[in-house]
Amino acid sequence: QVQLVESGGGLVQAGGSLRLSCAASGIIFSRNSMGWYRQAPGQQRDLVAAITSGGSTNYADSVKGRFTISRDNAKNTVYLQMSSLKPEDSAVYYCNKHPPGVFGYYNWGQGTQVTVSS
């Protein structure tokens, strides 16, 4: 079955950096466009960044110029490099396919908590 395992979150001061990783199994990773999503308490889960199977990227306006999404198909892993972090970036971060397509999202992983202190 599909498994998505996020890691790399933590507590960081404003202006700091973190690198998130998401290891995927049970899918043909190289054929999937992937995305990083985040969900703050009481808010909906939003797309932060996405990368196609060919490596094209797009970002939410709120993170442009600060976050970079990348992938390593040999490792079935997608990354999110986050820099110049702000308190409003605090959330649980998840990876999944993007767009969800007719079959919807894969089962969500546990996510990784990012907390940015001011």
Side-chain angles (χ1 to χ4, degrees):
Q1 73 250 20
V2 178
Q3 190 171 22
L4 301 169
V5 180
E6 301 92 349
S7 62
L11 174 63
V12 64
Q13 289 189 331
S17 298
L18 282 173
R19 188 194 194 204
L20 307 184
S21 299
C22 169
S25 59
I27 61 174
I28 304 175
F29 181 78
S30 62
R31 296 183 185 176
N32 278 263
S33 294
M34 298 295 295
W36 279 98
Y37 303 78
R38 68 185 181 189
Q39 186 170 24
Q43 303 207 7
Q44 66 181 19
R45 190 173 296 170
D46 292 325
L47 179 71
V48 173
I51 185 167
T52 68
S53 57
S56 297
T57 59
N58 66 286
Y59 300 91
D61 287 343
S62 59
V63 306
K64 279 180 182 177
R66 300 189 298 121
F67 290 11
T68 302
I69 187 171
S70 61
R71 63 192 298 157
D72 185 339
N73 290 337
K75 296 182 178 180
N76 286 3
T77 300
V78 60
Y79 303 99
L80 187 67
Q81 178 68 48
M82 306 187 295
S83 303
S84 302
L85 282 162
K86 305 175 181 180
E88 52 263 43
D89 294 319
S90 297
V92 180
Y93 284 71
Y94 303 86
C95 71
N96 213 306
K97 59 178 174 176
H98 175 77
V102 296
F103 298 109
Y105 292 106
Y106 297 128
N107 289 336
W108 294 91
Q110 83 288 348
T112 187
Q113 175 71 51
V114 172
T115 303
V116 185
S117 63
S118 57

